[in-house]
Amino acid sequence: MNENLFASFATPTMMGLPIVILIILFPSILFPSPDRLINNRLTSIQQWLIQLTSKQMLSIHNHKGQTWALMLISLILFIGSTNLLGLLPHSFTPTTQLSMNLGMAIPLWAGTVITGFRHKTKASLAHFLPQGTPLPLIPMLVIIETISLFIQPMALAVRLTANITAGHLLIHLIGGATLALMDISTATAFITFTILILLTILEFAVALIQAYVFTLLVSLYLHDNT
């Protein structure tokens, strides 16, 4: 049971070779570059959503922070598309892997912190020691603020991994229960199947919300350092 339950989280292989790189590159096919004077409806909707998201996310940034616009938009599109593709049957979701999420979170977090220390050195150092701190508490607060700073990328990665993994496990468990109940009680199986449909709709929303939350937190870290 445990092997079947977590089999969907194992890295897929073909002829003994991992194909996770191909899976990660696949979402880029879903967002073609417009090469026509008049775009079709799908491309127009994509561009409208991208403009709406970028306008909302970058409204709090100054000119230096807005230079990260392409990075932030690419990040939310990548995470959102991989989360949605992972909801398809017999598919693999890269964002359920903590190592991959850390690979996204740590460089982005480090970039924002380095930007802050480079352009706002005094303000960045001031975060480690709030104004008006009593003298005996200074060493403890510096340690606490340092730990909270270094735990930010871990929190980003764990939040995304936990939410996506929990949703997939629930869908798997309720789907298995529905199949088991079909031979026992048709009415109960229909109820669990209805719950499964509602949960799947919820997971579509969670997939997009988690992509937005991950990118928004990176944007807030950038805002604090620019």
Side-chain angles (χ1 to χ4, degrees), residues 109 127 141 143-153 221:
W109 166 83
H127 288 297
L141 279 179
I143 295 174
I144 292 174
E145 291 297 330
T146 303
I147 294 174
S148 66
L149 177 65
F150 281 95
I151 210 172
Q152 286 177 354
Y221 295 158

Side-chain angles (χ1 to χ4, degrees), residues 133-166:
T133 304
L135 188 61
L137 296 179
I138 288 179
M140 184 181 298
L141 279 179
V142 171
I143 295 174
I144 292 174
E145 291 297 330
T146 303
I147 294 174
S148 66
L149 177 65
F150 281 95
I151 210 172
Q152 286 177 354
M154 180 64 71
L156 275 177
V158 170
R159 181 187 295 107
L160 179 59
T161 304
N163 282 281
I164 301 302
T165 303

Side-chain angles (χ1 to χ4, degrees), residues 14 22 33 60 95 104 111 114 167 179 189 224:
M14 180 180 294
L22 297 177
S33 300
I60 61 174
T95 47
M104 292 189 296
I114 293 173
L179 290 176
D224 293 337

Side-chain angles (χ1 to χ4, degrees), residues 43-176:
T43 306
S44 299
I45 293 174
Q46 288 179 354
Q47 290 180 344
W48 176 74
L49 289 174
I50 291 173
Q51 291 176 359
L52 181 65
T53 306
S54 60
K55 182 179 179 181
Q56 182 178 2
M57 191 171 298
L58 299 174
S59 60
I60 61 174
H61 291 283
N62 54 21
H63 178 71
K64 190 176 296 297
Q66 290 178 356
T67 57
W68 283 56
L70 181 60
M71 176 69 73
L72 295 176
I73 295 302
S74 300
L75 181 66
I76 191 173
L77 289 177
F78 172 73
I79 298 176
S81 57
T82 50
N83 288 347
L84 291 175
L85 289 174
L87 293 173
L88 297 176
H90 304 288
S91 60
F92 173 72
T93 311
T95 47
T96 57
Q97 306 297 313
L98 182 60
S99 57
M100 175 180 166
N101 295 335
L102 283 174
M104 292 189 296
I106 292 177
L108 292 170
W109 166 83
T112 60
V113 172
I114 293 173
T115 301
F117 278 105
R118 181 180 180 183
H119 298 286
K120 296 173 59 177
T121 306
K122 293 183 179 180
S124 298
L125 292 175
H127 288 297
F128 293 96
L129 188 62
Q131 188 176 4
T133 304
L135 188 61
L137 296 179
I138 288 179
M140 184 181 298
L141 279 179
V142 171
I143 295 174
I144 292 174
E145 291 297 330
T146 303
I147 294 174
S148 66
L149 177 65
F150 281 95
I151 210 172
Q152 286 177 354
M154 180 64 71
L156 275 177
V158 170
R159 181 187 295 107
L160 179 59
T161 304
N163 282 281
I164 301 302
T165 303
H168 283 49
L169 287 176
L170 279 175
I171 290 177
H172 185 87
L173 290 172
I174 296 178

